[in-house]
Amino acid sequence: MKDLKTCRDEIDAIDQKLIALFEERMHICEDVIEYKMAHHMEIFQSGRETEVIEKNLKRVQDKKLAPYVRNFVLQNMNLSKRYQTTFLPGEIIDLKPAKEENLIVGYQGVPGSFSYEAMESYFGDRVAFKVNYPHFEDVFKALKAHEIDYGILPLENSTTGAINDNYDFINDYGFYIVGELSLSVSQNLLGIPGSTIDDIQTVYSHSQGLLQTSQFLAKHHIAKEPYPNTAMAASYVSHLNNKHIGAIASKKAAELYGLDVLASDIHNDKSNHTRFIVIGHNLESSKQASRISTVFTLRHEVGALYEVLQIIKDHQINMVRIESRPIQSSPWEYYFYLDFDGSLHDPNVVRTIDELRACTYTFRLIGNYERKIA
Ligand SMILES: O=C(O)C(=O)C[C@]1(C(=O)O)C=C[C@@H](O)C=C1
């Protein structure tokens, strides 16, 4: 057996040659990117990469090393692509100032809904007009028609996960996220005055409200009826005036629609929070902005998502969320929504975005915004 010191000396000597060759390879890529820019070519060349891998795999003498060689060659090409992006002019990020006063804000539901609460908490007295809509998509349509300045919508619940429709709409409508509010959500069983928990046989609520209280409802054998919104369900139950029918909604909704709170805080997870996003027409960024949201698609290539994550890691960026949504027109292909900590005022973040843009198929920066907690 060779001793460790001898092995390490041999490795050092090989590394020395490898580094020199790596530098030589990267320097050639400087000419490659110059040529590509002059000829309007993309950095990523799928056909050439397949050729490089196959050619090099044929050169492998010890076949058990083939998977390692494949990885080594792939990594070399990934680094070469990332290095090439440093020569690109860099996308100009056009940031617009936020509208501060006399705002017209749209939300889904009715007063007493959690979206209403989120709007009040996020904007306070900066809102001149509050406009409510029956469905989430109506808020997007209203923004598109310039009926409102901003819309506020739930995107994710800490117990039940993503609100998929809103993820899809952000992408379909091409709007930006300009703010975020994490709202502590308390669900309650409401009934007409004089009713008790034992009277209730059926409850109406938004599907999220029903999901968030599933354990309580199962324990009390209460049937679930989905309704477009929690506060609308409370208003409907008040109209029905039937002691066997209740609603799952906020205490504020009980107060507004004349119902009794029959059981408080009945949500499964006591730290139940909903993350609301504020959507607008423009990419806005303030000095307090600390979260970046992006959406991208990838080519069906080995390691495509891995490359994205590698870029995030190499730039020491803290990734906070990744979500995938099916692309409607292409079965088994996905949009990836990726959020990370950072500000567009930080050159390292801008650099990361440039690299992500280059290694993805389509890429859109959805927002850089401040996060508030209520
Ligand atoms: O040949 C090219 O077009 C290159 O940019 C070089 C290279 C490589 O590193 O080998 C890098 C990226 C391409 O996707 C293919 C190959």
Side-chain angles (χ1 to χ4, degrees):
M1 192 201 298
K2 267 193 216 169
D3 74 19
L4 186 60
K5 166 88 177 62
T6 314
C7 296
R8 286 184 174 166
D9 287 344
E10 285 175 16
I11 285 177
D12 282 345
I14 292 168
D15 280 351
Q16 196 179 351
K17 289 185 207 158
L18 276 177
I19 301 294
L21 287 171
F22 180 74
E23 277 193 52
E24 211 181 312
R25 192 181 199 283
M26 292 293 252
H27 285 145
I28 295 171
C29 291
E30 292 174 16
D31 294 324
V32 169
I33 187 62
E34 195 182 334
Y35 180 94
K36 283 183 178 170
M37 284 199 289
H39 292 83
H40 308 289
M41 284 172 70
E42 290 214 23
I43 292 182
F44 177 69
Q45 300 286 325
S46 176
R48 171 64 183 160
E49 292 207 2
T50 310
E51 189 188 315
V52 171
I53 293 170
E54 280 169 7
K55 212 181 274 181
N56 282 301
L57 284 177
K58 282 199 194 116
R59 291 176 178 140
V60 181
Q61 314 253 317
D62 182 350
K63 291 299 169 203
K64 68 178 181 303
L65 290 180
Y68 301 93
V69 170
R70 168 187 280 275
N71 204 339
F72 176 70
V73 173
L74 263 173
Q75 287 303 326
N76 265 331
M77 290 194 290
N78 286 344
L79 293 171
S80 131
K81 281 181 284 189
R82 287 173 60 183
Y83 183 53
Q84 290 182 46
T85 67
T86 64
F87 295 89
L88 296 177
E91 198 88 11
I92 293 166
I93 301 175
D94 184 18
L95 299 175
K96 297 260 169 38
K99 187 172 174 194
E100 296 291 351
E101 300 295 332
N102 289 324
L103 304 178
I104 307 175
V105 180
Y107 69 99
Q108 185 260 353
V110 289
S113 65
F114 292 108
S115 291
Y116 182 85
E117 220 176 285
M119 177 185 59
E120 295 257 278
S121 169
Y122 186 88
F123 291 101
D125 57 13
R126 292 189 292 143
V127 187
F129 291 103
K130 300 163 187 168
V131 196
N132 64 326
Y133 298 92
H135 304 287
F136 291 143
E137 190 171 8
D138 298 330
V139 179
F140 287 87
K141 284 182 180 161
L143 187 61
K144 188 176 176 189
H146 292 269
E147 280 171 26
I148 55 177
D149 297 315
Y150 296 109
I152 188 158
L153 296 143
L155 192 63
E156 183 189 355
N157 176 264
S158 57
T159 319
T160 54
I163 294 150
N164 292 331
D165 284 352
N166 288 337
Y167 266 103
D168 293 343
F169 292 141
I170 295 176
N171 204 19
D172 296 347
Y173 283 82
F175 294 139
Y176 294 96
I177 301 178
V178 300
E180 178 191 298
L181 178 85
S182 177
L183 184 77
S184 163
V185 170
S186 153
Q187 301 284 11
N188 308 276
L189 175 67
L190 315 183
I192 60 164
S195 58
T196 65
I197 301 182
D198 296 334
D199 291 329
I200 303 295
Q201 291 165 356
T202 303
V203 283
Y204 285 81
S205 189
H206 187 273
S207 55
Q208 285 288 321
L210 298 173
L211 270 174
Q212 290 164 24
T213 55
S214 59
Q215 290 164 7
F216 176 92
L217 298 177
K219 188 172 150 207
H220 292 274
H221 309 288
I222 297 175
K224 301 178 252 187
E225 282 294 338
Y227 211 72
N229 178 271
T230 53
M232 280 158 85
S235 159
Y236 179 61
V237 165
S238 171
H239 271 87
L240 291 179
N241 200 27
N242 178 337
K243 71 172 185 165
H244 300 300
I245 297 180
I248 303 292
S250 67
K251 289 180 185 143
K252 178 89 183 162
E255 192 186 303
L256 286 170
Y257 301 105
L259 296 176
D260 280 357
V261 178
L262 310 185
S264 314
D265 301 329
I266 58 166
H267 38 284
N268 302 348
D269 173 7
K270 295 304 166 218
S271 60
N272 194 28
H273 275 73
T274 296
R275 194 159 75 88
F276 285 85
I277 49 160
V278 178
I279 55 165
H281 276 284
N282 302 311
L283 194 58
E284 298 175 358
S285 172
S286 70
K287 285 270 181 276
Q288 295 80 38
S290 62
R291 179 61 53 87
I292 306 250
S293 287
T294 64
V295 59
F296 57 83
T297 55
L298 296 170
R299 296 177 186 85
H300 257 298
E301 301 283 341
V302 174
L305 183 58
Y306 176 83
E307 205 182 330
V308 166
L309 302 181
Q310 180 85 49
I311 291 171
I312 302 275
K313 174 185 166 271
D314 287 354
H315 286 276
Q316 299 288 303
I317 299 263
N318 182 34
M319 186 180 108
V320 289
R321 185 169 171 80
I322 186 160
E323 187 76 40
S324 64
R325 293 287 307 142
I327 301 178
Q328 304 282 322
S329 50
S330 314
W332 322 127
E333 298 216 13
Y334 299 89
Y335 285 111
F336 291 94
Y337 291 81
L338 190 136
D339 290 357
F340 52 87
D341 285 337
S343 157
L344 292 173
H345 299 282
D346 174 355
N348 182 47
V349 167
V350 176
R351 183 78 221 108
T352 305
I353 290 171
D354 283 344
E355 286 188 24
L356 290 176
R357 224 185 270 284
C359 85
T360 47
Y361 185 55
T362 61
F363 180 89
R364 192 166 81 87
L365 176 60
I366 317 180
N368 182 200
Y369 47 88
E370 187 185 349
R371 306 178 59 224
K372 296 185 184 177
I373 296 173

